[in-house]
Amino acid sequence: MNKAKQVAIAGAGIGGLSAALALAKTGHKVTIFEQASQLGEVGAGLQMSPNAMKVLRYLGVEDALRAFAFVPQHACIRHFKSGDYYLKSPLGAVAEARYGAPYWHLHRADLHKVLLTACEQTGVSLILGSAVESYLDLDDQVIVTLEDQSQHSVDLLIGADGIRSVIREQMLGKESPTFMKQVAWRGVIPVSELDGVTIQPDACVWVGPKRHLVTYYLRGGEWVNFVAVEERDDWQQESWREEGDINELRAAFAGWHPEVSGLLAKAQSTFLWALNGREALSTWHQGRVVLLGDACHPMLPFMAQGAAMAIEDAYALGRLLEQHALPVALARYEALRKPRTTKIQAMSKDNAGLYHMRGGALGRMKLNALRVASEYCPPVIHAKLDPVYGYDLEGRLVDSSYEG
Ligand SMILES: Cc1cc2nc3c(=O)[nH]c(=O)nc-3n(C[C@H](O)[C@H](O)[C@H](O)COP(=O)(O)OP(=O)(O)OC[C@H]3O[C@@H](n4cnc5c(N)ncnc54)[C@H](O)[C@@H]3O)c2cc1C
């Protein structure tokens, strides 16, 4: 098989748009098929750590994003009632100097819009209301069939179609994602409506028994974003648009620190997600078809790395397809990306124990050890975060070894 020229992407989420941009910039003719009939203001905040920001810089969208960003000053972990700090690690200018790219908070809609504009300017075609139904993988082409039964022949099909990917299902068989027995409420509140409630300019995780809550600012500090996670086993939807019950949310976090309860008292609406996951897949590619983002490695959001990993996948795939014939590019893509995403999936899962104060005395010891490290021994914190935030993707793409 020679290099791919015509590429179809299923899904115009953050992963699909990043892949389209990376591929269009390396000379591919890209068409995205998106099942939704319109792309709107959906989602909430996303933390974009320096590893992802570096890739967004390579993709040429960092400057366009700057106007929408908020720069957090610290990454914090605080006790749900007392507000005492278990972690207070500098972000802001310190993180930018350390990792060579900023740590920004962005609204998903802003990131999505900037990527979409860049795609349009680079000649990507986006066809809305066009769900991919199936594909036929042949020696010299892959034929993509849409729900309306129209067919499109391309050199490569990328499944960026999220956690319930139909591309993954055809490649590897029907298997529902696993409900992780946790739900997440997400919402944004205009600062003008906070009415005296003070939120620190940090990325703050409030930890408590069987639940945690994350707060941070968006859009230059105009909005506060919250993500509240509760261990629960009775909710199994995930979408960007499922309404949650604000009173139920307030009840779940009743008695928490005034910064949390005050914030939730001001929230007018919220969206609710079931958090689902998957074990590492046996393969990410087959013939002329390849997966990326949540389609192949959905993760709990407790490292704030799901979209970051989709962005890294997208760029890696684009660069490898630029350099190699299709089979080599896809094999190298999986060899490079799978170890890294599998590790971050596991780190995200581990954080559930820490954030939800699991393990009684041992759990408390871990949090206290974090407090000591944060105050007196920052290298311990760096040892955990540097491999995630300081990851040199571009360096690995020019290197011949593909260790994650
Ligand atoms: C509570 C929460 C907080 C999070 N916080 C962060 C964070 O701070 N930082 C971070 O990096 N990540 C975060 N994430 C993770 C992040 O949101 C996801 O990992 C990321 O959005 C996945 O992007 P994707 O493009 O792979 O998939 P998706 O966003 O799911 O996009 C898939 C797209 O494919 C379309 N589609 C589906 N099926 C088809 C089909 N058959 N044909 C055509 N189109 C189709 C869908 O309509 C959708 O547009 C968080 C997640 C949650 C739940």
Side-chain angles (χ1 to χ4, degrees):
M1 279 188 257
N2 289 323
K3 287 191 179 178
K5 291 189 184 73
Q6 304 247 11
V7 180
I9 299 178
I14 301 299
L17 291 181
S18 302
L21 188 54
L23 282 150
K25 277 178 173 281
T26 52
H28 299 87
K29 189 165 169 12
V30 184
T31 305
I32 309 179
F33 298 109
E34 164 58 49
Q35 68 176 5
S37 54
Q38 57 180 48
L39 301 171
E41 179 95 348
V42 292
L46 288 176
Q47 303 191 50
M48 281 289 112
S49 50
N51 51 310
M53 285 310 307
K54 219 177 265 180
V55 174
L56 292 169
R57 178 181 295 164
Y58 300 149
L59 290 175
V61 294
E62 183 185 19
D63 286 343
L65 288 170
R66 195 179 305 277
F68 303 108
F70 182 82
V71 185
Q73 294 309 302
H74 298 93
C76 299
I77 300 184
R78 299 179 68 180
H79 186 272
F80 73 108
K81 257 192 176 156
S82 68
D84 289 347
Y85 284 83
Y86 291 113
L87 175 80
K88 190 166 184 181
S89 182
L91 291 174
V94 176
E96 183 159 1
R98 185 172 187 86
Y99 300 118
Y103 194 116
W104 281 354
H105 293 160
L106 294 166
H107 195 294
R108 180 186 183 269
D110 296 332
L111 174 58
H112 197 265
K113 197 168 172 192
V114 165
L115 286 169
L116 184 60
T117 304
C119 280
E120 284 162 0
Q121 288 166 350
T122 322
V124 171
S125 306
L126 168 65
I127 305 179
L128 295 174
S130 61
V132 173
E133 191 178 83
S134 63
Y135 61 82
L136 181 62
D137 188 15
L138 303 170
D139 274 353
D140 59 345
Q141 61 180 318
V142 54
I143 297 169
V144 181
T145 303
L146 305 183
E147 219 170 44
D148 66 5
Q149 301 309 303
S150 63
Q151 295 196 317
H152 305 260
S153 164
V154 288
D155 300 309
L156 173 68
L157 169 63
I158 299 175
D161 49 345
I163 191 163
R164 298 193 184 273
S165 166
V166 297
I167 311 295
R168 187 215 63 82
E169 185 171 318
Q170 183 170 341
M171 189 186 289
L172 294 167
K174 197 171 174 64
E175 193 184 347
S176 295
T178 311
F179 175 50
M180 306 302 277
K181 302 208 166 165
Q182 324 217 19
V183 296
W185 283 275
R186 267 172 128 171
V188 289
I189 307 170
V191 167
S192 57
E193 290 174 18
L194 281 184
D195 213 12
V197 180
T198 309
I199 302 295
Q200 301 303 319
D202 298 327
C204 187
V205 184
W206 296 83
V207 297
K210 295 191 173 178
R211 65 206 69 198
H212 76 272
L213 188 138
V214 184
T215 54
Y216 55 86
Y217 285 93
L218 293 176
R219 288 196 171 147
E222 284 174 22
W223 290 5
V224 171
N225 181 82
F226 66 84
V227 183
V229 174
E230 184 191 15
E231 294 187 7
R232 221 164 99 170
D233 51 17
D234 61 346
W235 180 266
Q236 307 234 4
Q237 295 278 99
E238 90 276 322
S239 91
W240 290 103
R241 298 166 195 272
E242 197 70 42
E243 284 275 351
D245 180 342
I246 197 77
N247 290 319
E248 201 183 331
L249 165 62
R250 287 184 190 135
F253 289 82
W256 280 45
H257 190 275
E259 217 173 290
V260 172
S261 49
L263 182 77
L264 294 182
K266 302 292 174 196
Q268 298 295 319
S269 63
T270 177
F271 290 94
L272 186 58
W273 273 256
L275 299 180
N276 288 303
R278 280 187 196 282
E279 292 300 317
L281 304 184
S282 57
T283 185
W284 288 13
H285 66 98
Q286 212 171 63
R288 293 177 171 273
V289 184
V290 66
L291 303 169
L292 66 72
D294 277 11
C296 56
H297 49 67
M299 56 185 72
L300 284 170
F302 307 160
M303 286 289 294
Q305 284 295 314
M309 289 302 105
I311 292 167
E312 285 188 4
D313 288 350
Y315 183 73
L317 188 56
R319 291 278 282 110
L320 290 166
L321 286 164
E322 183 187 21
Q323 295 168 38
H324 305 284
L326 193 56
V328 177
L330 299 190
R332 291 196 172 191
Y333 163 71
E334 181 173 333
L336 174 67
R337 298 300 305 152
K338 201 169 172 183
R340 175 158 168 84
T341 55
T342 306
K343 192 165 175 192
I344 291 180
Q345 275 177 313
M347 288 172 83
S348 305
K349 215 168 164 183
D350 273 1
N351 272 352
L354 191 72
Y355 290 178
H356 296 174
M357 293 184 155
R358 285 189 201 142
L362 183 64
R364 283 195 296 278
M365 253 170 64
K366 280 188 184 165
L367 281 166
N368 284 324
L370 191 62
R371 188 200 322 256
V372 173
S374 167
E375 271 185 44
Y376 304 108
C377 195
V380 173
I381 310 293
H382 295 152
K384 182 172 174 185
L385 294 180
D386 284 3
V388 180
Y389 299 162
Y391 185 72
D392 179 15
L393 177 59
E394 183 59 35
R396 281 171 169 82
L397 289 164
V398 291
D399 198 321
S400 56
S401 73
Y402 285 96
E403 292 300 314

